[in-house]
Amino acid sequence: MRAVWLVVAAAIAAALAAYLVLRAVGVQSLRATGRAERRFFIRLFYVGCRSSQLLYGDPFMRRNFFKRGEVAAFEIDVSNPESRDLKVSFSIAPADDPSRTLKVHEGVAKAGSVTRFSFEVDTSQLPPALYLVVAQVEGWGRFSSNTEPFRSTNLESYPWLLAVLDEPVRWETPSEGLPRLIVPEGFGVNIHFIAPSPVEERDLDMIAYAGFKLVRMDFFWHLVERERGVYDLSGYAALTEALRRRGLRPLYILDYGNPHYDGGLPPRSDEGRRAFASFARKAAEEIGAYALWEIWNEPNIAVFWKPQPNVADYVELAKAAAGAVKAACPSCVVLAPATSGVDVDFISRAALLRLLDWIDAVSVHPYRDSRPETALGDYEKLRAAVKGKTVVASEWGYPTAGRYGNVVDVWRQAQYVVRIYLVNLMAGVPLTIIYDWKDDGLSLDDSEHNFGLVSHHVRGPEWFLVKPAWYAVYNLNKRLAGFSPAGRLELGPGVYALRFEGPGPAKIVLWAEEGEREVELSVGAEKVKLARLFGLEEELEAPGGVLRLKVSGSPVIVELPTQP
């Protein structure tokens, strides 16, 4: 009987999960339009592109990003529980300044029923930027996201967005070696797939469109060596080729255990280490120096080094693997130890065991319960321990929902992702990998489902939404591609100003660690151009060649005049 109840419970759970997914994409509805309704709600459906497709040829793809010139289509349901009709208007507004509204549609929500409004926005009439879609309902207020009961998943709870794109970010990067301190050479994201499906090919398209140049992915030992001594790298060869076509370099993590050796635990025996080294050698032989190679992931925590972390065991494995990679491919770049956090103690003990002699750079994952700028002090301590070895940040991010990690809203995530990269450039850290490319699911309780820069992709029809962080990265990379950091300007406590020089007039990126700060910046001209985090452009007065402005947690880019 207990088994029967378990089967019934599992069936109910599966049905509930399916219901939530269907409702997230608008297949399920509490009430059909026109039916009587006794409570207020409002929700948006992304219909997709209603013009010739400039990005994708799939007319059924539900997306919130459009190349300038496409026509974006939306549907919004408004439930009116009142006995009178209500006026409703729909506008768009730049995410950088929601007060600048542009009305795009209006109508009437019928009394006591659900009314569906359909409208289109011709993006050829808009400057490239991230826009909010806003509804104003008479007597109920202003809305820019779904109301209850349509907020049970992350996909449903995101703000209504219209992302208008310019051309993709273009910058050619070297095919070998560590990235240089040039935007966006060392900027990348984590993914969780190998041989890409058609949907995942679109993921790679949008990774490249935003200007990312690196993609980090596990190179799973147990998938490559399913039979002792027999290696199948076909999936990784397909992924590498897909990345190469888009100008993306892989950062492959040689990990984890293999059931053929040491019971599937991290290799501790001589046989296990030799087998792991053979696997690493084969990977380097097949893929080569186009990839960067990292030895394991977060061996300083028990989640990834069971049953307990052991510095000596890890270093022995890392030496064997790094030696094998270098023997097969002397120009390959090897990173280690990929610690969770900036674990100076673990890395210092590894250094005493001569790990640094075998690797090209020290990799860390600077997750923290605070702002990105607090990593600057950690980098100083780490550099003292690694004696001048290059430091890279091979994983770092902030979830937008969940029960663990430093959870922030989607707007703060956008600020922090850009500031992670800027802080690392300021600190001379040439490689930054953002965790994660896309949400791994729909749950608002599981943090792992909410690290993404884009939404979880729901099928039937396919939904593919960018979050504000994706647009912030795209905007930064588009404006700074080819530029290098050229020093920090001192503008007062809590204010960061980083000068960039490159193919054109110098630029200064400014932001405040928290709150707002008033700053004065000498610019040498009476007017300057400024670009905000989500693409809004302005021309500002600078009387006497001094720009006075308020800066916040959202970085802005000031373009300095060309010197005669």
Side-chain angles (χ1 to χ4, degrees):
M1 179 62 72
R2 183 171 179 269
V4 172
W5 280 112
L6 287 174
V7 171
V8 171
I12 292 172
L16 178 60
Y19 169 80
L20 289 175
V21 170
L22 290 172
R23 210 182 75 180
V25 299
V27 176
Q28 296 283 350
S29 174
L30 291 184
R31 293 285 185 184
T33 54
R35 294 284 298 275
E37 184 56 64
R38 295 184 178 180
R39 58 177 164 176
F40 176 84
F41 67 76
I42 185 168
R43 64 169 174 173
L44 175 143
F45 300 89
Y46 294 98
V47 176
C49 181
R50 286 279 178 82
S51 66
S52 59
Q53 305 264 337
L54 300 180
L55 279 177
Y56 294 112
D58 183 357
F60 300 107
M61 184 177 179
R62 306 300 195 240
R63 54 185 165 102
N64 64 355
F65 56 93
F66 301 86
K67 190 169 184 181
R68 190 166 186 256
E70 292 184 316
V71 175
F74 303 89
E75 291 180 346
I76 295 182
D77 284 353
V78 178
S79 168
N80 176 8
E82 297 190 26
S83 58
R84 63 187 181 106
D85 292 349
L86 299 176
K87 294 179 181 178
V88 184
S89 64
F90 302 95
S91 305
I92 59 172
D96 289 309
D97 186 357
S99 67
R100 303 186 188 185
T101 59
L102 172 67
K103 185 182 291 186
V104 294
H105 189 65
E106 60 185 350
V108 172
K110 295 297 183 181
S113 66
V114 179
T115 304
R116 175 162 294 178
F117 299 88
S118 300
F119 59 93
E120 298 176 352
V121 178
D122 182 357
T123 64
S124 66
Q125 306 302 309
L126 299 173
L130 182 67
Y131 296 86
L132 288 170
V133 178
V134 180
Q136 185 75 39
V137 183
E138 180 185 0
W140 290 87
R142 175 183 167 115
F143 302 89
S144 56
S145 63
N146 291 351
T147 62
E148 295 293 353
F150 301 105
R151 295 181 62 85
S152 61
T153 67
N154 54 22
L155 190 67
E156 295 175 292
S157 62
Y158 292 142
W160 301 338
L161 300 177
L162 168 60
V164 180
L165 312 185
D166 201 348
E167 294 299 316
V169 177
R170 293 186 174 91
W171 180 253
E172 296 297 324
T173 61
S175 59
E176 292 188 4
L178 274 169
R180 300 170 296 179
L181 281 170
I182 300 176
V183 179
E185 279 193 17
F187 207 5
V189 287
N190 267 92
I191 61 170
H192 298 296
F193 56 84
I194 304 175
S197 68
V199 171
E200 290 159 349
E201 292 277 2
R202 289 177 178 167
D203 281 310
L204 298 181
D205 288 342
M206 292 303 289
I207 289 171
Y209 206 106
F212 287 114
K213 304 307 294 184
L214 296 171
V215 169
R216 182 174 183 258
M217 173 59 194
D218 298 281
F219 207 95
F220 290 115
W221 183 18
H222 73 283
L223 295 182
V224 170
E225 189 183 352
R226 296 177 187 269
E227 181 182 344
R228 276 178 174 259
V230 178
Y231 306 101
D232 179 4
L233 284 78
S234 58
Y236 289 103
L239 175 58
T240 303
E241 180 55 32
L243 295 174
R244 191 188 296 269
R245 288 197 305 270
R246 296 168 173 86
L248 301 168
R249 289 184 68 191
L251 192 171
Y252 286 135
I253 318 159
L254 297 166
D255 61 15
Y256 290 106
N258 188 311
H260 294 304
Y261 309 97
D262 294 306
L265 294 173
R268 291 173 173 80
S269 67
D270 290 341
E271 180 194 27
R273 291 182 186 126
R274 285 194 299 270
F276 189 83
S278 296
F279 150 70
R281 180 182 295 107
K282 186 66 174 178
E285 286 174 352
E286 293 289 329
I287 306 296
Y290 188 65
L292 296 91
W293 300 94
E294 193 165 37
I295 312 299
W296 214 264
N297 178 67
E298 301 187 350
N300 61 322
I301 59 175
V303 173
F304 296 110
W305 194 277
K306 298 182 186 323
Q308 290 296 327
N310 184 299
V311 176
D313 283 346
Y314 170 73
V315 170
E316 287 303 308
L317 181 69
K319 287 179 179 179
V325 169
K326 290 291 190 180
C329 175
S331 60
C332 279
V333 172
V334 178
L335 315 175
T339 57
S340 175
V342 183
D343 192 337
V344 176
D345 178 65
F346 185 95
I347 295 169
S348 296
R349 287 187 286 152
L352 290 175
L353 297 172
R354 308 196 69 82
L355 172 66
L356 303 185
D357 295 344
W358 295 82
I359 62 176
D360 298 291
V362 173
S363 58
V364 293
H365 300 168
Y367 289 104
R368 59 203 49 245
D369 292 328
S370 55
R371 297 176 294 276
E373 293 76 17
T374 58
L376 291 169
D378 292 341
Y379 288 144
E380 289 183 11
K381 295 175 185 176
L382 179 59
R383 283 206 168 94
V386 300
K387 301 177 177 62
K389 184 71 75 172
T390 298
V391 172
V392 300
S394 60
E395 185 181 316
W396 189 359
Y398 291 85
T400 52
R403 297 184 182 274
Y404 66 85
N406 187 0
V407 177
V408 296
D409 64 33
V410 294
W411 303 107
R412 184 62 58 87
Q413 183 198 40
Q415 293 177 345
Y416 279 6
V417 165
V418 166
R419 284 160 55 180
I420 283 172
Y421 188 39
L422 293 169
V423 164
N424 283 346
L425 290 173
M426 185 185 304
V429 174
L431 185 151
T432 300
I433 302 293
I434 299 299
Y435 191 88
D436 197 2
W437 166 242
K438 68 181 175 185
D439 291 340
D440 289 337
L442 296 171
S443 172
L444 288 167
D445 294 324
D446 188 341
S447 296
E448 190 64 28
H449 286 199
N450 295 279
F451 276 94
L453 306 184
V454 301
S455 71
H456 183 66
H457 302 339
V458 178
R459 308 291 180 84
E462 181 190 343
W463 283 59
F464 190 154
L465 308 182
V466 300
K467 294 163 70 173
W470 183 93
Y471 203 97
V473 167
Y474 167 65
N475 182 57
L476 182 84
N477 285 340
K478 180 177 65 172
R479 297 177 188 280
L480 293 182
F483 282 73
S484 297
R488 181 181 173 185
L489 308 179
E490 294 298 332
L491 296 181
V495 175
Y496 293 83
L498 188 58
R499 181 184 175 94
F500 285 85
E501 295 179 354
K507 300 179 182 183
I508 297 176
V509 183
L510 303 100
W511 72 96
E513 191 169 12
E514 60 179 338
E516 284 190 335
R517 298 283 194 278
E518 291 191 6
V519 299
E520 292 187 355
L521 179 67
S522 178
V523 294
E526 295 293 316
K527 291 183 179 180
V528 293
K529 295 178 181 178
L530 179 141
R532 299 198 178 274
L533 182 63
F534 300 113
L536 181 65
E537 295 181 343
E538 301 174 84
E539 187 172 71
L540 301 181
E541 301 286 340
V546 177
L547 177 65
R548 296 172 176 84
L549 77 160
K550 287 184 178 180
V551 294
S552 68
S554 296
V556 298
I557 302 172
V558 175
E559 182 177 312
L560 298 179
T562 304
Q563 297 298 321

